[in-house]
Amino acid sequence: MSHVYEERATMIAAGELQSFVPFGREHCRNHPNAVNLQLRQLQPASELWSSDGAAGLVGSLQEVTLHEREKERWQLRKGTAPYEVEYEEELYVAGNMVIWSHGSKNQASYVYKAFTVDSTVQQALWCNFTVPQSKKDVKDVVEKTVCIVQSTCVNVHSMSGKDFISPLPFQVRTDLNLFIREPLPTLFSMLHPLDEIAPVVCKSTGLFESRLQYVTDSALRVVFTCHEPSIIMTYDTQQCTHTVWTLRKVTPEEQTTVLKCPDQPGPVHTPNAAPSFISTHLRNVTRLDSPASPLHCHALHNQSRIPASPGLHSRVHSPSISNMAALSRAHSPGIAAPSFSGAQRFNMSCHTPSPRGHSILASPNSTLNETALLPEMEPILPDLCIEQLWTETSAISREKGCQAAKVFITSDLCENRYLCFLVESHQQLRCVKFLESNETSQLIFASVTVITAKDAAPLEVSKVFVPGLLSPTFSVQNHQPQLSTPLENISTPARAVVQHMSRLEEVGMPSPVLEVRSAKQHHESSWLEDSSFQQAAPHIHSLRDAVSNRVTLELSSGSMLRITIPEVATSELVKRCLQAIRFILPKDTAMKVLVKWYNSYNAPGGPSMHLEWNLFVTCLMTMMGYNTERLTWTRNLHFEVPLSPVIAPKKARPADTGSDEDWGYLRCSDYHWQVSMRPAVAVQGLEPVGPPGGVDNHESALGLESSALLFPHIPVLFYVLHLLYEDLKLDELQRSGARALVGLLQQLAKDLQLEDFIDLYWRDYPSFIKTFKEACVIDQTQMELMTWPVFLDGEAPCVFSWLSRCLRGQDVTPFPHLPGICERTKLLVLSYALYVVGDEDAISTNMLKYLSRLSILYPAMGYVTTHYLTCLFFFNTAGFTLKDLESVPFGVALPIRDAIYQCREQPCSDWSEEVCALIGRQDLTRQAHKVTLTVGLNVMLEPPVTSEADEEEDGMTDLHPEVTGLIWSQDLRVQEVRRLLQSSRPIRVNVPHLPEVSDHEYIEEKENKLLQLCQRTMALPVGRGLFTLFSYHPVPTEPLPVPKLNLTGRAPPRNTMVDLNSGNIDVPPNMTSWPSFHNGVAAGLKIAPASQVESAWIAYNKPKSADLANEYAGFLMALGLNGHLTKLATLNIHDYLTKGHEMTSIGLLLGVSAAKLGTMDMSITRLLSIHIPALLPPTSTELDVPHSVQVAAVVGIGLVYQGTGHRHNAEVLLAEIGRPPGPEMEYCTDRESYSLAAGLALGMVCLGHGSNLIGMTDLNVPEQLYQYMVGGHRRTHAGINREKHKSPSYQIKEGDTINVDVTCPGATLALAMIYLKTNNRSIADWLKAPDTMFLLDFIKPEFLLLRTLARCLIMWDEIFPNADWVTSNVPQIIQENIGNQEQTSVSEDLNMETIVQAHDYIIAGGCLAVGFRFAGSANSDAFDCLYKFARNFMQCLTTSTATVTGQYNLQTCLSMVLLAVSMVMAGSGNLKVLQLCRFLHKRTFGEMNYGFHMAHHMALGLLFLGGGRYTLSTSNSAIAALLCALYPHFPAHSTDNRYHLQALRHLAVLAAEPRLLVPVDVDTLKPCYALLDVTYKETQWYEETTVELMAPTMLPELNLLKRIKVKGPRYWELNIDISKGTQHLQSILSKDGVLYVKLRAGQLPYKDDPQGWKSLLAPNLNNRSAEVRTFKPEAISTFTSDVALVSFAEYFCRASENMKHKQETVALLSAILYECVTQEYPEMLPTHISIDQAVRTLERGDLCETFSLWQMKLVLELCESRVLQQRLRDTRRQGHGLLLSSEFLPVMKSSADRALDRWLCVKGDICLSYMRGQPMNNDTDVNMLACFLVYHSIPSLKNMVASDLEDSQLLFKFVKYFKLSKS
């Protein structure tokens, strides 16, 4: 039997040739640089050919000297970016330019980056550096870079935008053989551009000891480096051998060894090494990726060296390239790229036919080196170590100059790996096979194979196998250049753009290197006859730039062609069959099979000319020994494919014009075949053509050739292909593949006489299998030649029956499985074991119960309570998605869909993104997706469109109208707040012009009125900052818009301008300095903490004009409050501070302190200490620091050390509260604010520590503070500042008593903060208001407010939100006298004014305490209580009592109560509070000053904090911040900082926290309403309570909550459990509170349907059947937005004219659709329809395959399974039944039963004859019989007989009886 396959030499058809020109060359031509001239001359000869003829060619070749050719070089690699598309990258070097470009099949090349450097580029390469991370669990970052080597330095440009320049330790020079006595290191490495260049050490293991020393052998040349595995290859110029070394990181022990004896480096002992001279190189090996693989990339070296006697070779010397040669070159992992030696090798574009020149290597400057590495110098620590792995044996010829020109690693089709190196001088390719030992770190090198080759390149043809494998080496030989093949590009359809590239010959050597085949140029006389000018034809000169399966051929003419080598297979089915074959066969056999297949598949004629599968079957069966000509069905395969190369290898004839064969080609194309054959008909296998006459009589003629390659392996191959067939059955998309495969399988089963399998195939495809009549006879002796595996003896594995047994609860045997090939079988078998059998260990310990021959075990997962959950997590880890589930047959998929549905109902909010996607909860998927949320709402909400009127920027345009519109949908309160807080438009100054007033006086009157109004305008920014808090994401390229503070007015009716600068009235100096500071803060506070803010942007915002400096100072403070100031470079901070601008210093110091809150940051502490004399050493120079800057610095210390209890700072601050005025004028003005600041800072440092102040007992902090509060004798100062306080002030006579007016406020608040929430009654009693008139006279009423507040904050738990509690703070004496002031005559002792003032301030203090206690809670009791007091105070303002208390005091108390009520309602936008604020906004007369306006507008800002997205926290830190901000003494005018520094008002921001939850519809990405159940934890005041809220809503403080649940029925339920921890909820809230929700099908959002009356589910739910009938398909669009469902309703559920008779179908489809939509599983629609179709086909009796019936059977078995029955019995989970509707399945089941019963009735004999084993004829009956057997799970004949005769007898009797009874 001589087959085509026995032919020894085959050819491979490669893809079309395309001419290749490096993209960089084209790009460089446009570069304005002298290099243009040379490049123009570099045009390859082919481009000049046509124009100037031969003269042009000669001319161009003369012009282009080798020297200029040297100027350009390039390299290609496979793209490594995370794109879907595969692309190529090119790095092109010419002159001093480097061009990096990308290009792919479907996109033209484009420049990615271009670099121009100062001097000529010696070399450019890709390199990956690893940056180790400080944290343990964080993966190291890999920096991808391009390195450009120049003569003096290396430029490194990383893709992340960083640039480094590493200078080389010496100038590269071209002098040669410099003699240095001392052996010095010759191999160096650099692990990061910023690291030192370090020598490499070598570990040599001797017989007795291992030695470690620097690599100093000058004869060593590195020719190749590789990152995976981590090896380098060197060449010894004296021994003339190649050596492979492993490269790894140096261990710490080795480092110390090297350091102990650095002065005797000693040469590395390679055999007989005697280095006579040294030429030191800088070799640079890349930064490590991981300890396992120290090398990240391949190195390109310029290694070749002139031998010692230059006379031996006379070569053209080309200029040297840099010796940074070992800098590495990054590669896509898996493709080992060659390392070239020699300059031309390196630049890879040597167009000259002359022999390749060798470059001269540079040596470092001797003097430099000697000084650098003298023994006295400290040696440099080595980073890397090399150890020898393999050296060439002396058997391989050793001559001078046999250094490898190319080295690469490649693998064959069976994953054997080879290190190949090309020795040009011998025209040899040497291939060393290597494998990893059990310890993966060790490589074992095996045999060496030598192939004669002129050039070689590694290609990747096989995408089938493990990714990254490389195909057989492709090599070119050129024995007779004069007979070269002309390569043309003319292609006609018949030649199918194929070029005969090379003839691949199988080498019949016994070595395992079967795949490395030599390739010879294929010469045919016919070609030469056709060739018009064969003498001038160019020949292939070399190969270069191999990427994936493409390579460039360099022709002798200088032009280049790019060619593509075909793949192993394109059809999915063939790929999987090849995988299975390779898995089971021995490696060498598998190799032969793959090579044979590759050669026949890619034979000239092209893969497009035939159906791949037919060719594969023919090829495989031939290798098994079949004569495919004699078998009818395989012969028919040939008829389908007349041009099949196996039958008629077509000779492609070069022709310029088309030929008749082109027509034949078109007729034989796939397309024509598909059109003419119609797959359906082809599959039925139209009556097969009978075998030729004469054959019938000789049955023996159909035998098998037992000498065939695969003959002994037939049973094993049959079994693996059967398992593949079972796997294909589980994939709907591969069903055609299963059908194609079954033909081959049944033939093998027949011939191997495996009855079980034949029966199985017949049951699957009854009508198809019946067409196969022939069997081949295999006699007994032949059978014995085969290897029969044990597993063929058992029952034929059928995956459907295995799953069916599982569902019926029977015992199952392990199902066989091919790891890596039948992954779907494994996945589904294990998920059934998990879910149906309920074995939770199925995916960990008990895996072997369900799968046999398993090689990869999944890691065990954590214990999960429910099976369906485990099942889902298992699916997820296996990488299974919903898309994959759609391709699983519906019956098999149903349990998995069921598990998904159960999980979908009640998921956890913290599941991973993949699991959420699997259960179809897009809302959770999006929530879990890290990227979408970082910028929160700004992603989804377009910025509001501003109208013309708003053109004037008021700084409030960035609030989210979609959210505010949902929170306050009934009115325009947000616009009203904007109107009240805007300060950028002129004010209306309405003064009536009385007749008696002169014009001049009238103007003055107007200006005075304007001045009054300006007091209000200047106070607005403080409120605006709170209102717009964190609402804006700045654009990094634009400065922050700051609305201007407009202090002009317009007077009606003519709208004339009123200005304060007219000089008519006196305006206070510096009036606007603080207001513009506040304006800057307000603008800066808009920036959200999540924004991208860089140091450069902050500096970029600095204004040019000096008058805006105050605004910028405020902007800096705001950046600190939102955390961005930490990004400002320290240099800039110092730069700002040295300017000495007071405001800038205040803003900066407070800003950086707020940004470093509680961190004890040392650098910030130093910064602050310079500004606080008390923190400087006593001898230090006295700095002149402005007073307000000192105040800011002191508060800064408090912020930085907040809550730390730092002893030293506490001691200093305690002393500073009572700092006396100095001898001169220092510390004399505004002492109150300094003392207060020290008190606040002390309070913050010891915040909440109470009596547990560790190490401070000797300071007596509480006693000292008490003394500051009530007065008394001043104590002598201890500590460093004693000297300063010795002499008393000359200005202020205080004596030695404490000035309580200065120290009391600070001390009171310090006590409040230290004992905050401690409920320490003894301290609280100190703070009680005095209860005798005598003592009351001694204390300022204002201080009573502070004391009351402080006392209540300490007794935190006793604060109650009612009026009685507030009044209970008032002492008895006041309460008695306050009520009866009108009736009884007031006694002499009582000062009524004192009593009334004290009463009001104490009430205000109590109210403020309630405000703190219930801040941000919107507690209704607290609100009612405070609102009542606020109204009382307002009434007092307008009545006579005002005279007793005084307007000012009442106004102060009212402001404090207003602030208290807005603290409680923070962020809620309460209307009543808004009305109060608006009323006070209008009052600009009387006692209303700048400070009161500030208080009222702060209240307004707090009420709408962050546009309703933020509210206040009651944490200790927040209360401290609020105490600083809301200190109850507001400034009298805009420059007043006497009692309190104005800048501290903004610290309220530190108490804000986002607590607004905004549901966002995941489909529309718009905010929407959703119902929440919020459950509170149990506390001492109330039980565990659940309240229902309509979101968007403000949540209570998270520590009070237990869980939050999105309620149905409109939206899918979602639980956020907070008892486990609040991190998840906090992360949601911090990202604008976006909570994704998903609308259920059939529901409308609350906005469109508030009452829920429009929903599909609303009408009469009691009468379901009527409802289904009334369901109109038109209505569907209102209930679901799913396009597929809407279209389904449109086309299938509407009865049209021509569907009158199909009324029933329409009704059924409508019912199904209704069911799916209302029950919320639209994905079940296809399942319902499939079941219906299966039953209908069964009723008609034309099922030609039993596939759908199997699925139907699995569905029914699931319904009766244990899992489901248990769930239906479980009362708690009412209504969670099966996914299929209750009525649908029984109907379908009874229809199927009826159809089969009818058939049994009529055709029962067929069933009986099957049981008797008689042959059957009728077509439809055979089909129905198969259906009957499958549906009723009747075992195969053999099993029936084997299992139990009784059973089969019973069945026999039953069928007979059934027939009789029916007839």
Side-chain angles (χ1 to χ4, degrees), residues 1482-1494:
K1482 288 179 182 157
R1483 287 177 74 98
T1484 54
F1485 47 83
E1487 286 283 342
M1488 282 304 252
N1489 61 21
Y1490 170 76
F1492 291 139
H1493 283 304
M1494 188 186 275

Side-chain angles (χ1 to χ4, degrees), residues 208 260 263 346 468 490 821 933 1093 1126 1130 1137 1158 1580 1614 1799:
F208 306 108
K260 273 180 203 156
D263 42 292
F346 171 71
I490 302 161
I821 299 163
L933 284 175
V1093 170
T1126 48
T1130 320
L1137 289 174
Q1580 60 190 57
L1614 163 61
W1799 175 81

Side-chain angles (χ1 to χ4, degrees), residues 1299-1339:
N1299 184 346
V1300 183
D1301 290 340
V1302 174
T1303 59
C1304 178
T1308 312
L1309 291 179
L1311 271 176
M1313 285 154 85
I1314 294 172
Y1315 288 91
L1316 180 63
K1317 299 184 187 175
T1318 55
N1319 300 306
N1320 182 328
R1321 197 168 293 283
S1322 56
I1323 300 287
D1325 287 345
W1326 287 356
L1327 295 162
K1328 261 196 170 155
D1331 47 6
T1332 66
M1333 199 58 223
F1334 178 73
L1335 289 173
L1336 270 177
D1337 270 337
F1338 270 97
I1339 190 164

